[in-house]
């Protein structure tokens, strides 16, 4: 079943200079897709089009079978949540619990239901001990975890992470990625689109979509992409360490297969 | 210009119930004309430390010596702070958020004009600084807001370079940039260093530490917990500092553990590893 279908979507900020060009893509329910491409290639614009923050010039977006338009936008926004890059720009409440409750207030959830829900989701993201803390006392990773709780408490079907980890330190990054993994285990129907420059993160997703100058270049598994030497060099992509290493070791005349791990390569080298 | 930090402490919101000691009795020397990386997890005191270097924050205790300049807790003793800031300039995280002028050239010239440089000369120096960061003439009259993320960041760095500082401090210079954009910034940093500038980098990216720095300082809870070369850092047990050892280095270490004779101290890039592997075959 489809969660997202994007059909021939085009958008420009300046007339005749489209940032998203005739872009089509389908994403299945429960898929974890990473969207990669250089700064300015249109990734974030695409994300904004998906949640109706921008209105396309032409083409259409369907989320969970509903076509995005004026009539459906509120319904669709209940199904989609987006977490942005800067942890300081999306903390609205005075405290962690207020911030999570804000999402629920917008959905007219009664107070009695709200209290346990806030606790439950704070716990899910590992922020139970910080319920009454103000954002000034939280690290970037903790603030992003709260932002994810804000999103998930609304039980979205689609979670969009727009470079949600790029301003975090390594442990903050790890926190968020393992949280996303845990959320998907708990709810296998949750579809995740992650916009990222972190190639090691993209490597772990189900599918990578490569965007360049507003167009979709390809959509394939991480392994397929990173073994495609021409595409890698044409679009100046970084390659995960494991793939690069395999290639370089194979150049030494040691036979390396797709199934080799860093460990097994090590064994081969020591022989 | 040598940087000597002596018994430096800094407390935020001092004498209030919310006081936090961000730096505790830090003593350091930062080598001249080298690239030094300052690392440590969020809240370890990195940003506080770099802000004391040119007196944006005055120490609660201890002092910082930068060449002939001194930053001490006593405001009146800190002469020529403005002059110091010309010699030791900081490029903050996401500096592109600080661009504000109508055109790229005006933005770069702004800092110079604050130092009393005349408009015409300031624009001329701005053009030179822009050339240094690889931004050509076609950009001079454009609004800084219509540039890409990587271009904006280079313009912001040009604004600092225009002052021709001896010491350049950069806080997370590659955060949020794509691989190509990062690469351009890192090459620039290397170039500035080769031209004789001392570079201090604050970063979370251990690959940058391994590939690009000569010296590393690890801060942990406001104290210095390590000082030395990147290779000696990654050979240690770093789990306590929340540092991710670069994949390449981990792999090289695992080969050594498996009995392969690898000289860990020489490994900075995958090429270095391959050279050694070839020699041993």
């Amino acid at each position: 079943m489809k969660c997202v279908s994007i059909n021939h979507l085009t958008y420009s900020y300046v007339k005749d200079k489209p940032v998203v060009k005739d872009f089509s893509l389908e994403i299945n329910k429960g898929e974890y897709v990473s969207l990669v491409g250089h700064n300015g290639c249109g990734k974030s614009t695409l994300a904004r089009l998906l949640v109706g923050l921008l209105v396309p010039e032409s083409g259409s977006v369907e989320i969970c079978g509903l076509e995005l338009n004026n009539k459906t936008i509120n319904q669709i926004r209940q199904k989609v949540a987006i977490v942005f890059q800067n942890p300081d720009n999306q903390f609205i409440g005075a405290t962690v619990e207020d911030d999570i409750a804000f999402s629920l207030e917008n959905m007219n959830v009664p107070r009695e239901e709200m209290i346990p829900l806030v606790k439950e989701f704070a716990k899910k993201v590992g922020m139970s001990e910080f319920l009454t803390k103000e954002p000034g006392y939280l690290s970037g990773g903790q603030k992003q975890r709260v932002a994810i709780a804000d999103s998930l408490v609304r039980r979205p079907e689609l979670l969009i992470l727009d470079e949600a980890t790029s301003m975090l330190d390594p442990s903050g990054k790890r926190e968020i990625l393992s949280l996303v993994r845990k959320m998907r285990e708990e709810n296998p129907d949750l579809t995740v689109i992650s916009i990222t420059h972190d190639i090691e993160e993209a490597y772990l997703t189900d599918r990578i979509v490569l965007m360049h100058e507003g167009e979709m270049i390809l959509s394939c598994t991480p392994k397929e992409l990173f073994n495609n030497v021409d595409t890698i060099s044409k679009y100046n992509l970084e390659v995960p360490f494991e793939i690069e290493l395999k290639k370089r070791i194979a150049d030494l005349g040691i036979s390396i297969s797709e199934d080799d791990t860093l460990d097994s390569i090590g064994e081969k080298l020591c022989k | 210009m040598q940087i000597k930090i002596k018994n430096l402490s800094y407390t935020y919101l001092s004498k209030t119930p919310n006081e936090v000691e961000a730096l505790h009795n830090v003593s350091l020397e930062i080598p001249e004309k080298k690239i030094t990386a300052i690392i440590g997890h969020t809240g370890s005191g990195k940003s506080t430390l770099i802000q004391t270097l040119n007196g944006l924050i005055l120490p609660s205790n201890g002092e910082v010596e930068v060449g002939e300049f001194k930053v001490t807790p006593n405001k009146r003793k800190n002469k020529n702070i403005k002059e110091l800031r010309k010699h030791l300039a900081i490029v903050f995280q996401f500096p592109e958020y600080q661009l504000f002028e109508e055109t790229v050239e005006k933005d770069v010239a702004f800092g110079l004009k604050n130092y009393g440089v005349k408009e015409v000369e300031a624009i001329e120096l701005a053009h030179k600084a822009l050339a240094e960061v690889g931004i050509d003439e076609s950009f001079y009259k454009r609004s800084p807001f219509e540039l890409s993320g990587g271009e904006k960041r280079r313009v912001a760095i040009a604004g600092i370079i225009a002052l021709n500082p001896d010491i350049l401090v950069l806080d997370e210079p590659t955060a949020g940039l794509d691989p190509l954009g990062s690469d351009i910034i890192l090459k620039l940093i290397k170039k500035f260093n080769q031209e004789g500038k001392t570079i201090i980098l604050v970063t979370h990216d251990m690959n940058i530490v391994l590939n690009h720095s000569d010296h590393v300082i690890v801060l942990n809870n406001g104290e210095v917990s390590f000082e030395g070369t990147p290779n000696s850092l990654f050979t240690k047990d770093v789990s306590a500092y929340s540092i991710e050892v670069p994949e390449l280095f981990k792999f090289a270490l695992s080969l050594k553990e498996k009995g392969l004779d690898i000289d860990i101290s020489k490994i900075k890039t995958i090429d270095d590893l391959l050279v050694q592997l070839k020699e041993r075959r």
Side-chain angles (χ1 to χ4, degrees), chain A residues 39-40, chain B residues 139 142 144-154:
Chain A
N39 290 117
Chain B
F139 287 87
R142 282 172 68 184
F145 300 106
E146 56 183 50
L147 310 183
S148 79
E151 288 162 354
K152 276 188 199 164
R153 191 158 305 174
R154 278 187 278 157

Side-chain angles (χ1 to χ4, degrees), chain A residues 38-39 137 167 169-171 174 197 236 238 241 244-245 248-249 252 254 262-263 265-267 269-270, chain B residues 18 41-42 94 176-180 204 242 244 247-248 251 255 258 260 270-271 274 277-278 281:
Chain A
H38 293 302
N39 290 117
Y137 289 92
M167 286 177 87
D169 66 7
S171 60
R174 236 176 304 145
H197 288 310
N236 270 307
E238 233 182 334
F241 175 70
E244 174 77 11
L245 183 77
R248 303 291 296 267
I249 299 286
L252 285 180
I254 297 170
L262 289 181
D263 204 46
I265 297 170
E267 298 292 341
L269 283 169
C270 293
Chain B
N18 294 328
H41 56 79
T42 315
F94 294 90
L177 294 184
D178 58 41
L180 195 64
H204 288 307
S242 112
E244 303 250 288
E247 292 283 342
L248 164 70
F251 183 70
L255 291 181
K258 289 192 172 95
L260 219 56
I270 200 161
D271 295 314
L274 273 126
L277 288 175
K278 266 185 208 152
R281 291 188 73 77

